[in-house]
Every structure is written in C-alpha cells, then in structure tokens.
Amino acid sequence: MWWLLPSVFLVSGANALLRPDDVGRAPALGWNSWNAYNCEIDADKILTAANEVVNLGLKSLGYEYINIDDCWSVKSGRDPTTKRIIPDPDKFPNGISGVADEIHALGLKLGIYSSAGTTTCAGYPASLGYETIDAQSFAEWGVDYLKYDNCGVPDNLTDTYTYCVPDSTDGSFFPNGTCVNLTDAAPAGYNWATSTTAKRYMRMRNALLSVNRTILYSLCDWGQADVNDWGNETGNSWRMSGDITPKWSRIAEIANENSFLMNYANYYGYPDPDMLEVGNGNLTVAENRAHFALWAAMKSPLIIGTPLDTIDPTHLTILSNKPLLTFHQDPAVGRPAYPYKWGYNADWTFDPAHPAEYWSGPSPALGGTLIVMVNTEETTQTRTAFWKEVPELKELYTAGKKGFKVVDGWSGNDLGCVRDKYSLKLGAHDAGVLVVGDSC
Ligand SMILES: *[C@@H]1O[C@H](CO)[C@@H](O)[C@H](O)[C@H]1NC(C)=O
Ligand SMILES: *[C@@H]1O[C@H](CO)[C@@H](O)[C@H](O)[C@H]1NC(C)=O
Ligand SMILES: *[C@@H]1O[C@H](CO)[C@@H](O)[C@H](O)[C@H]1NC(C)=O
Ligand SMILES: *[C@@H]1O[C@H](CO)[C@@H](O)[C@H](O)[C@H]1NC(C)=O
Ligand SMILES: *[C@@H]1O[C@H](CO)[C@@H](O)[C@H](O)[C@H]1NC(C)=O
Ligand SMILES: *[C@@H]1O[C@H](CO)[C@@H](O)[C@H](O)[C@H]1NC(C)=O
C-alpha cells in the first residue's frame, strides 16, 4: 500500500501554490472549448457557452471558468514590436479582453491557453521565452485561468531522462514509479523538480505570480517528468496522463492511473485526469454517469467539454448532480475519495480496463460519506457496499452501529435506515452513488 505513505512520496509537494481569495483551493469547475470544438472557435461560441452556463443553472452549481483552448491567436507570429501574442481579429473581433468583459459581467471567469514551448499543439505562438510578456497580456486582458500545454518544446530543452507515464509506456509501469525496459530511466533518487520540464513550467508560474492578477495555473504536461512530485508547488492542477477521448476504454484507463495518485490530491493542488467528455462521442448514459462520478470522487477539475446550447437533458442532469458536486467542493475536506476495494481485481491491481470499483470519502458538506461503486465489466453486475468494509463507517459498525441512513446519489431517493450493506444492480460501465449519513 505504497500510497498510504505520503511522507515518502510527497517530499516536495507540501508547499503549494497558495492563492488569494481561495482561488484553486477546491478543484476548478468550468467549461473548455477543446473537446467540444477543437480549433473551430470564436467569440460567439465562447460567449454562447458562458450564457448557457448561466441559463442551464450550472453557474449556480459552482461552474465558473469559461476556458478558451488552443487556436485563439494570429498563427503567423507575435507583434513584431511589443512581442505580444495577437488575438485573432476574425475569431475575436473585440480581442480577448472583450470576451473577458462579457464573461465577467455574467459573474464568470475567463480561461486561456498556451504552451511551455515555442508553439502550441496546433502550431500557434506559445510562451516559452515570453512568459512575462504573456502573463502581462493575460492579466491586462482580464484572464483568470491558464491551461499550459507541453507542445513545441525545442530539442535542446528535452529532459535528460524519460519518466514512465503508464499510458504511453503500456505495461512497463508500476505504481511505485519503476519502469521496466526503459533505457533512459532516471537514476534512483533523481529529483524531477530539477528537470527541464519542471523548469519550463516553473518559469510560467513565476511570471503569473509577478503580475497583479490571480490566474489559476493548470499544468498540462501529460504526466511527464513525475509532475506529481512538483505539481503542487508549481500549479493548482496538473495533468497526469495523455489526452482523454470520448471512449469508455480511455476513460477507464485514465481512472485506473489516477486511482494510484490520490494521495497527491488535496487543497490547492490536484492531479488532473483531463477534461470531461460527458455528452461527447458514443458514450452510453451509464458511461457518462461513471465518468462524471469517478472524476468528481477523484476531485479532478471538472471542466465540461461539450457544446452547451445543444446538450441532451440527460447529460445536463449528470453534470448537475448535487451530491457529487458538494463532495467535490467540500470546504472542510481537501482529500478526494480513495478506492477501498478494487472489486473486479485484487486490491492494488493496475488494470487499464478495470479500475478500482469501490470508492469512499468523507464530506461534512454532504453530511457523511460518499460511496461510488462502479461496474467495470461488460455485462450487468451487482455491486455491494458492506458497511464493515468502508473506512469511514467500519469503526462505528464494529462498535455495534449496524444501520446508516442512505440516500441514492443519482435519484435522490431516501433509502431509509439501511443495515449492514447496500447492493446495486449496475449495467455495463455504470456507477452507483450513495450518500451515507448518520447511524440509525
Ligand atoms: C499542497 O499544498 C497545500 C498548501 O500548502 C497543502 O494544503 C496540500 O496538502 C498539499 N498537497 C499535498 C498532496 O501535499
Ligand atoms: C536552444 O536553442 C535555441 C535556438 O533553437 C536557442 O535560442 C536557445 O538559447 C537554446 N537554449 C538553450 C538552453 O540552450
Ligand atoms: C521487457 O523486455 C523483456 C526482454 O526483451 C521482455 O521479455 C518483456 O516482456 C519486457 N517487459 C515489458 C513489460 O515490456
Ligand atoms: C516496484 O514494483 C515492481 C513491480 O512490482 C518491482 O519489481 C520493483 O522492485 C519495485 N521497486 C521498488 C523501488 O519498490
Ligand atoms: C492591482 O490590482 C488592483 C485591482 O485591480 C488595483 O486596485 C491595484 O491598484 C493594483 N496594484 C498595482 C500595484 O498595480
Ligand atoms: C459513434 O458511432 C458511429 C456509428 O457507429 C460512428 O460512425 C462514429 O464514428 C462514432 N463516434 C465516435 C466519436 O466514436
């Protein structure tokens, strides 16, 4: 149970990027253009999303960041005199500041995108070497959030060693960080906070801290250079894997990886399993539910990635689930839910197709304990929460309190005083959510 020993693994993680006004304290809630539109963005689409966040009630549930992803600037280069990135005048006729004004008028915040390289992933100007100028532009425009990607890195700035990211080195990763068959693996004890990757991200952190505006810093280095070790001191969240796609196999794969990183998640610093695909591709309703429940339980940033003006009511209901959002934003508990049993597999098994199925975590705001149960199999299965197995309940249970008040987190149905255990029949790739309150 290596991850129950945080002192060994979080040597440098304790000093986070603390921000004023609680910015970044709880994981971010918002919307981003990439999974919905890729490069095809403009001010209308961004402002439509912002207005829908208000109209659909998402703002009142806490969703606040409206984030512009890649492709927002003039591709051919910076302003030759000021060296600033130029917002594309066709896509954003009133600039980024014009969009920021309208978004702020809605009571929301604006996010933007750049990369710790010379170009973004889509080939637009990026911030390496221009960190201060860009941070100043972002602050002046009224930007509140920066997603910072890892494309366009010059050859002379690559890392000396390769870090094992499980999804790109399939089968050669172990949760203890050891890679097999990796010829350029770092020597034991190597401090990844000194890698060139960490330095590229720290340069932008320093630039953001030097401007007179609080800009949440979302690192997107795809889990490379052991970012879990230096992410907390560098940004408010850090991607721990390659990109998500709207496919259950990919969602399960990332959930499996992130399940081993839960001791890194706490106030002001969260591993980020990537933006939501709820509403996208061919995910079933069950898969959308399980994706959202797992991401909320893991205290991932919850960044919606689907067009909101055409969203299916079923998907909107999932994204609006109050118990999960309450758990996710709990002001009194920073830690996420932890897997307490793998279920399909023996505990601590690394299996991209079958992540841990039983999760629990405490939440005073919820009035008790959140339990998420997932069926990772291809057919309908029963999953049972035994109170004696749930870490938050087992002490009371063994002391003789056999019953607890339970509410179904999806339907809101009061299940009354439930003794010993609760079973759910779950379809393929579905997740059940229980809110367990006082003993009774
Ligand atoms: C990250 O830093 C914050 C603030 O210093 C701290 O509260 C939190 O526990 C840290 N996270 C981890 C996983 O150590
Ligand atoms: C990397 O190469 C670029 C030219 O491609 C140069 O401007 C820069 O100074 C080099 N950086 C380092 C750290 O050597
Ligand atoms: C590592 O390399 C050995 C020898 O080539 C091979 O048998 C083994 O399957 C490899 N392991 C992984 C996890 O790729
Ligand atoms: C990490 O786990 C692998 C696979 O279980 C094992 O071979 C290796 O010895 C472990 N390394 C450390 C440092 O514990
Ligand atoms: C920083 O920004 C605040 C709010 O926008 C403003 O009141 C203050 O004067 C600024 N401080 C400096 C040093 O520019
Ligand atoms: C969804 O399914 C349809 C029909 O099987 C297929 O043509 C389409 O490519 C799928 N879309 C995605 C995003 O996987």
Side-chain angles (χ1 to χ4, degrees), residues 2 9 173-180 188:
W2 61 275
F9 290 95
F173 171 86
F174 296 96
N176 60 18
T178 303
C179 284
V180 296

Side-chain angles (χ1 to χ4, degrees), residues 169-238:
T169 50
D170 193 27
S172 63
F173 171 86
F174 296 96
N176 60 18
T178 303
C179 284
V180 296
N181 295 355
L182 197 61
T183 50
D184 55 351
Y190 177 69
N191 180 6
W192 281 99
T194 65
S195 65
T196 51
T197 295
K199 286 180 184 158
R200 285 185 290 113
Y201 280 84
M202 289 176 183
R203 284 174 66 138
M204 181 51 95
R205 171 200 62 193
N206 296 344
L208 292 173
L209 291 177
S210 76
V211 298
N212 185 19
R213 190 171 179 89
T214 305
I215 300 177
L216 188 149
Y217 188 25
S218 158
L219 318 184
C220 182
D221 96 330
W222 319 320
Q224 293 184 3
D226 197 8
V227 63
N228 295 293
D229 205 40
W230 47 269
N232 202 27
E233 62 185 283
T234 309
N236 300 111
S237 64
W238 52 92

Side-chain angles (χ1 to χ4, degrees), residues 115-318:
S115 182
T118 55
T119 51
T120 69
C121 298
Y124 291 74
S127 299
L128 186 70
Y130 296 93
E131 290 86 355
T132 305
I133 289 175
D134 289 353
Q136 282 166 354
S137 299
F138 300 154
E140 203 175 286
W141 295 340
V143 165
D144 306 293
Y145 182 117
L146 174 65
K147 172 180 168 183
Y148 206 46
D149 220 328
N150 198 22
C151 284
V153 180
D155 289 346
N156 59 1
L157 284 183
T158 53
D159 288 331
T160 312
Y161 305 114
T162 299
Y163 181 72
C164 210
V165 181
D167 63 294
S168 62
T169 50
D170 193 27
S172 63
F173 171 86
F174 296 96
N176 60 18
T178 303
C179 284
V180 296
N181 295 355
L182 197 61
T183 50
D184 55 351
Y190 177 69
N191 180 6
W192 281 99
T194 65
S195 65
T196 51
T197 295
K199 286 180 184 158
R200 285 185 290 113
Y201 280 84
M202 289 176 183
R203 284 174 66 138
M204 181 51 95
R205 171 200 62 193
N206 296 344
L208 292 173
L209 291 177
S210 76
V211 298
N212 185 19
R213 190 171 179 89
T214 305
I215 300 177
L216 188 149
Y217 188 25
S218 158
L219 318 184
C220 182
D221 96 330
W222 319 320
Q224 293 184 3
D226 197 8
V227 63
N228 295 293
D229 205 40
W230 47 269
N232 202 27
E233 62 185 283
T234 309
N236 300 111
S237 64
W238 52 92
R239 285 278 303 284
M240 42 53 68
S241 72
D243 284 3
I244 196 169
T245 59
K247 290 209 165 83
W248 174 254
S249 57
R250 183 62 185 143
I251 289 165
E253 203 168 61
I254 297 179
N256 170 60
E257 287 164 41
N258 205 34
S259 72
F260 291 94
L261 302 173
M262 290 294 94
N263 259 3
Y264 290 100
N266 214 323
Y267 290 133
Y268 291 103
Y270 299 93
D272 177 0
D274 206 357
M275 304 180 290
L276 295 170
E277 293 283 15
V278 173
N280 295 341
N282 293 331
L283 296 174
T284 64
V285 173
E287 290 167 346
N288 278 298
R289 256 197 303 263
H291 173 27
F292 188 74
L294 281 167
W295 263 232
M298 298 189 296
K299 297 207 175 174
S300 159
L302 295 176
I303 307 296
I304 299 169
T306 203
L308 290 177
D309 49 341
T310 53
I311 190 170
D312 179 300
T314 313
H315 300 146
L316 178 62
T317 302
I318 292 169

